Structure formats: structure tokens, C-alpha cells
Amino acid sequence: AIQRAVEAGISAATSGDDDEEVSIVVKIGNIISSMWDAALHVPSDEQEQEEEEMEEVMLSSSKKRSKRSKSASTASKEDASVEIGEDTALGGSDFGSYLIKSYNIKKEARDDDDNTSKETIKGGSFNNALRYARSQARLLVVYIPSSPPNKKKKGNSYDDVAIRSLTSAVVSSVTQKRAIRTKGGGKGSSYGSFVLWGTKAGSSEAVLSTKRLKVKKTGSKESPTLVVVYPAQVIDSSGRPKLIPRVLSQHHCNPPPNSESMAAWLNALRKRHAKQYATMQHELQELQYFQERKEGYKESIVGDTNREKREKQEEMERLAKEKAEKERIEMLQKRRKTLRENLPEEPSAGDTSNVMTIALRFADGRTGKRRFNAEVELNELFNWVDGFFDIEREKVILSTMNGQRSFTFVGEDAEENDEETSEIMTLEEAGFGRMTGLRVTERKEDEEEEEE
């Protein structure tokens, strides 16, 4: 009862604004009288039944849209946040279905044959309708019935005519037409023209939207409200964007236009207000460019981060290799010093018993010559090459001048009797004569890796 009284009082106060000559006392008396009548008169069973029908239509429509939203799982979250005007923002309701069912509207014959998708009349709040229209770069068509549905009433009321026109295929086609014609089908060709929105007669949303629009009835009491609104965006005192409904045109609805007349009226408005369409489309395009730049910036940040990580990793690997190489060279220098100090003493020139002279020839042209005792191990030749000629003994290959035999250094971990060149033997056991010439070659790293 309180809610009915408040709504009736707001409605009486709004309608009283039309009569400027009426005194304040009379206005207050009219408001109190309206509130008193609304509080005392309980809605009829028929009205309660209509409320239940409204809820059923809204519920079924919401379920259908929920199924469609689940199937459209490819839509990204970011796109949904940009497009504020998804149907969920308008309560997820198909208000047109409620109007058709509640007012018992019969479709036109050509609408039954038309299988194209139709632009439905949205429900929900007026603020969400404004945001949705702005996000789609469309003008908003506002429809408010003059009275609640009355199934006992015979004949076509003004509300019936208006609802039949708004839900017709002709008007739906106009709402989906591209707002601005561009040569070659530019970006503006992807935007529609109108969003249809409505609310129940006498509801609080109807009172509030009427007050915000500041529209007055131009026809009879049976004439519904039919207004085309531009969702203008302004900056409020706090610096935030705010949407304000600016009325572009109001139809007198005395009588309401049929489907052809309404389509012609909307077409004329679409052509007349190309500037408003261009403003909204430009804003959406700038928003799209901003999103693309934002995504590009994110990708560049990720790319720079990955590049820095990769460069840092490469630098760490380079420093580790340099450190390992430096330590290896230091180790080789210490080992060569030890090899030079521990190399067996060279027999004197006069000592010819059991003494062999070994001559070396390197690939770079260098030569070397030294006497050894025949009982010296073959590894001492490799120590000699490593200590005095700076070639790692593990990489040295000694071969006879005819190339028939070759020898490599035998480490402590070498398996005995693996092959002839791997045996630890003396110079005499190797078959060297009193004068022996050997070629010195260095094993390549690739050959070492293959052997490993």
C-alpha cells in the first residue's frame, strides 16, 4: 500500500507540472488525494495475474538467453566489459514478449512469414538502456504504455497499435540498418540505428524515466509515450563521464503510427541525426584503438621482459664459460710447469747405449728433437709435447712418418688391452729405433665428441 501511494504521489506531482496556473495548495491536495486512493484500492486479481505473467515471460526469456550465453563461450571477458550494453545489463529480459502476451497483440501476416532476426524491446532500468545504446552507437527509442493491459477491453487501443508497430518486422529492420552510409562499406557500416526500450505503465521506472526525459503528453490520455533519445555523454563535476538523455523527437501518438509510418519516422530521424551517430561511432572506434594499443603495449612489455631474461641468461652463460676457460688455462699452465719439471733427464750426447733420438714435426712447421732412454714410457713423449709446445697431451696424435702406426696419450682411467694405442708401453716396446721421426697432429673437438 505504501509503495502504491508513493508511486501515485510521484505520478501526480509529475503530471501537475503541466498546469502552471494551479496553486500550490491545490497541487498538494491532488497529490494527497492520489496517494490516499492508491493506498486504499487494492489491485484487482486480474492485475495480479498480469504481474505473474510478466514474471513468467521474464523468467523464460532469461533462461533462453542463459543458454545462448553458455554456447557463446568464445566471447572474451575483455569484450564483455567494453560492451556494457549486453542484454544482461538490461535485466536479461525480452520486454517485447511481455507486451505481446499481456496486451494480447496479434502479429501481422507478413511478420509470420518473416524469418529474419528481430530487434526485441529491452526491459530493465532506464540507466542501463542508455548505457547499452551508447555502447552500440545507437539512438534509444523509449516506449511507455498509457495504461496497464486490460484483457476485457474490446477493440484496438492506442497501446495495442503502438506495440504492434514496435514489434513488427518492418520497424525491426529499420533499427538494424546501419546508421551512416559509407562508400565501400566502411567501419560505420557495422553499427545499427536504434535500441528499443520499454517499461510498464505506472511503474516507478516509468515515473523516473518520464521525469528524466522531461516529456509531456502531447495527445489524449490514451496516448502512450514514444520518444527517441540521444544518450549524450558529458563530464560531471568530479571529472567522470556521465550519460544524459537528450530528447530528439517525441511522437504525439494520437493516434500511434502503424508499422510503415513508424518505420518512416525512424528512418527520417536516422538521416537527420547523422552527426550524433558519427560522434558515438568515433568514440567506439577510439575505444577500440585504445584497447589495441593497450594490448600492443602489454605484448611489448612481455616481449621486453622475455628479451631481458634471455639476454641475462646468455650473459650468465657467457661469464660462466669465460670463468671455466680461465680456470682451465690456469690449470694447464700449472700442469705444464709440473710436466717440464718432472720430464726425465735427457741423456748426454756421449751416451749412446739404450738411447733413442725422437724428432717431431708439427703441422704448423715447427720441429722438435730430444733424446730419451729406451725404457721411458711412451706417455713421456706426450708430456714433452704438452709442456714445451703447448698442445694438450689428451689432444695429441703421434704417428709414424709412413702413417702406418699412430699413438695417443693413455690416461690413468684407460682400460688395459683396449687397443694397441691405448697400452701403456715403453719406447722400446713401441718399436722405435735409435732415430725415430714422428708427426704431431692435434685432435679436433668434433672428433673428441664423436669418440665420447
Side-chain angles (χ1 to χ4, degrees):
I2 295 175
Q3 184 178 357
R4 291 197 304 273
V6 172
E7 292 180 357
I10 295 174
S11 179
T14 307
S15 61
D17 293 340
D18 299 342
D19 303 327
E20 299 179 355
E21 298 179 357
V22 180
S23 65
I24 299 297
V25 177
V26 175
K27 287 184 179 181
I28 294 175
N30 292 336
I31 293 172
I32 294 175
S33 177
S34 299
M35 294 176 68
W36 181 259
D37 291 339
L40 292 180
H41 291 84
V42 181
S44 63
D45 295 338
E46 185 177 338
Q47 288 177 329
E48 292 178 358
Q49 184 179 359
E50 290 164 1
E51 294 289 339
E52 293 176 358
E53 291 177 357
M54 173 69 172
E55 292 179 1
E56 290 176 3
V57 172
M58 294 296 187
L59 183 59
S60 62
S61 176
S62 178
K63 288 181 179 178
K64 291 179 182 179
R65 292 180 183 277
S66 178
K67 290 180 181 178
R68 287 198 296 267
S69 63
K70 288 180 180 178
S71 63
S73 57
T74 55
S76 64
K77 294 181 181 179
E78 199 165 307
D79 291 338
S81 62
V82 172
E83 294 186 0
I84 308 173
E86 288 291 341
D87 287 352
T88 51
L90 297 176
S93 61
D94 180 3
F95 191 71
S97 298
Y98 161 75
L99 291 175
I100 293 173
K101 184 176 181 180
S102 300
Y103 287 83
N104 196 21
I105 303 299
K106 294 181 180 179
K107 295 182 179 180
E108 297 180 2
R110 59 186 169 188
D111 289 346
D112 295 332
D113 299 333
D114 192 355
N115 296 324
T116 59
S117 60
K118 295 182 179 180
E119 184 73 17
T120 60
I121 302 176
K122 311 296 183 184
S125 70
F126 181 61
N127 286 332
N128 285 340
L130 282 174
R131 285 196 292 268
Y132 179 62
R134 184 77 185 190
S135 70
Q136 300 296 308
R138 300 188 184 193
L139 299 180
L140 181 64
V141 179
V142 177
Y143 171 71
I144 304 175
S146 61
S147 60
N150 186 1
K151 293 184 179 180
K152 294 180 180 180
K153 186 176 181 180
K154 297 181 180 180
N156 288 331
S157 66
Y158 282 179
D159 286 333
D160 296 344
V161 175
I163 295 170
R164 186 178 296 107
S165 298
L166 286 170
T167 56
S168 66
V170 179
V171 172
S172 178
S173 176
V174 172
T175 61
Q176 298 181 43
K177 273 187 178 180
R178 63 174 182 261
I180 302 177
R181 291 187 176 274
T182 55
K183 294 182 179 179
K187 292 185 177 180
S189 62
S190 61
Y191 299 105
S193 299
F194 298 95
V195 172
L196 305 177
W197 176 82
T199 187
K200 292 172 58 180
S203 65
S204 58
E205 194 64 40
V207 175
L208 293 175
S209 58
T210 303
K211 194 169 184 179
R212 286 195 64 185
L213 293 171
K214 299 179 182 178
V215 294
K216 300 178 181 179
K217 280 188 175 293
T218 56
S220 65
K221 292 183 179 180
E222 296 180 357
S223 300
T225 301
L226 184 61
V227 182
V228 175
V229 177
Y230 168 57
Q233 182 169 283
V234 298
I235 304 300
D236 60 13
S237 57
S238 61
R240 296 180 180 179
K242 180 181 178 181
L243 291 179
I244 295 179
R246 291 182 179 171
V247 177
L248 300 180
S249 179
Q250 179 181 4
H251 200 285
H252 56 77
C253 287
N254 189 23
N258 57 24
S259 57
E260 288 81 4
S261 299
M262 185 173 291
W265 178 57
L266 293 177
N267 262 326
L269 290 173
R270 176 176 58 82
K271 297 176 182 178
R272 186 185 308 164
H273 298 286
K275 183 178 180 181
Q276 283 80 359
Y277 283 118
T279 300
M280 291 187 290
Q281 290 181 12
H282 176 73
E283 177 187 302
L284 289 185
Q285 291 170 11
E286 288 298 321
L287 181 61
Q288 182 180 356
Y289 295 150
F290 171 75
Q291 293 293 341
E292 292 175 356
R293 289 193 296 268
K294 187 177 179 181
E295 289 299 322
Y297 177 73
K298 287 181 179 179
E299 292 177 0
S300 66
I301 291 295
V302 173
D304 292 343
T305 303
N306 293 337
R307 179 179 54 79
E308 291 176 359
K309 288 182 179 179
R310 185 173 61 254
E311 291 178 352
K312 187 176 181 180
Q313 181 67 24
E314 292 174 354
E315 180 66 14
M316 291 175 63
E317 292 176 357
R318 184 186 66 80
L319 293 176
K321 288 181 180 179
E322 289 181 356
K323 183 180 179 181
E325 181 65 16
K326 184 178 180 181
E327 292 176 351
R328 189 182 73 85
I329 292 174
E330 291 177 354
M331 183 273 293
L332 285 176
Q333 291 175 349
K334 290 180 180 180
R335 189 180 75 172
R336 284 167 181 165
K337 181 180 179 182
T338 303
L339 292 177
R340 288 193 296 268
E341 293 174 352
N342 295 335
L343 194 66
E345 186 177 351
E346 184 177 7
S348 61
D351 188 0
T352 57
S353 62
N354 205 25
V355 175
M356 296 181 178
T357 301
I358 306 297
L360 302 178
R361 179 178 294 178
F362 293 85
D364 58 1
R366 291 182 298 169
T367 58
K369 192 175 183 181
R370 194 181 189 279
R371 289 184 297 279
F372 290 91
N373 192 295
E375 297 179 354
V376 171
E377 291 183 356
L378 184 61
N379 276 354
E380 294 297 341
L381 296 184
F382 294 94
N383 294 338
W384 174 37
V385 173
D386 193 348
F388 286 89
F389 298 97
D390 297 336
I391 301 177
E392 296 179 46
R393 60 187 181 182
E394 292 82 5
K395 298 181 180 180
V396 172
I397 299 176
L398 298 178
S399 57
T400 57
M401 290 299 180
N402 57 15
Q404 293 182 353
R405 297 185 66 190
S406 61
F407 307 89
T408 58
F409 179 77
V410 180
E412 296 178 357
D413 56 347
E415 296 183 4
E416 294 184 0
N417 302 324
D418 183 17
E419 46 182 66
E420 181 185 358
T421 56
S422 298
E423 295 179 357
I424 299 177
M425 61 182 75
T426 64
L427 300 181
E428 186 176 5
E429 292 172 345
F432 292 168
R434 293 175 61 87
M435 293 289 294
T436 302
L438 298 173
R439 296 182 186 276
V440 182
T441 56
E442 185 177 359
R443 187 184 305 174
K444 303 298 181 183
E445 293 184 1
D446 295 340
E447 296 177 1
E448 293 180 0
E449 291 178 358
E450 290 178 1
E451 290 184 3
E452 292 176 359

